[in-house]
Amino acid sequence: MGPMIACHCSQCNRSSSHIVAAVNVAEIGLSWTRTDHIIWYASSDFAERGFCGRCGSQMAWRQSDPVIRKGTSLMVGSFDDKDILTLERHIYVAHKAPYYDITDDLPQYPHSD
Ligand SMILES: [Zn+2]
């Protein structure tokens, strides 16, 4: 499992109403047990967002092309056990909404990390 990031991009802001916290996991070893509920929405020409078709919760973000996709970012809010997670950095800070400041000392990246 990769580091937990907070994404401040405009897409995450629009879809979550604030920021998104996620961890990237390798495509190898990732298996979905309830694919009947997941709907993949093409959120750009290269990526898609997965959400629960029953409750609407955001579940994941991934590159659309399975050939180049190495991992899938899982939305931390969907995890049952959050005790094992620690936020490590902020990404797309250059695109963050103007109504808040980042007040921790974690690394910040203007765009992707
Ligand atoms: Zn984002």
Side-chain angles (χ1 to χ4, degrees), residues 78-97:
S78 67
F79 287 21
D80 291 329
D81 183 5
K82 298 176 178 68
D83 294 338
I84 59 170
L85 300 165
T86 304
L87 184 62
E88 291 192 15
R89 57 181 175 254
H90 301 271
I91 64 172
Y92 287 98
V93 172
H95 301 270
K96 81 172 189 62

Side-chain angles (χ1 to χ4, degrees), residues 11 41-49 61-65:
Q11 274 195 15
Y41 166 72
S43 54
S44 70
D45 58 1
F46 66 91
E48 54 195 14
R49 290 171 178 268
W61 179 97
R62 68 184 184 186
Q63 290 186 305
S64 308
D65 185 347

Side-chain angles (χ1 to χ4, degrees), residues 5-13 20 49 61 91-92:
I5 56 90
C7 185
H8 300 262
C9 82
S10 58
Q11 274 195 15
C12 286
N13 182 254
V20 160
R49 290 171 178 268
W61 179 97
I91 64 172
Y92 287 98

Side-chain angles (χ1 to χ4, degrees), residues 1 4-5 13-14 31-34 36 40 47 54 57 59 62 64 75-76 86 110 112:
M1 193 160 63
M4 178 176 163
I5 56 90
N13 182 254
R14 286 177 189 277
S31 63
W32 296 92
T33 55
R34 298 299 303 270
D36 52 327
W40 291 98
R54 289 208 168 166
S57 295
M59 304 297 290
R62 68 184 184 186
S64 308
M75 305 310 177
V76 168
T86 304
S112 186

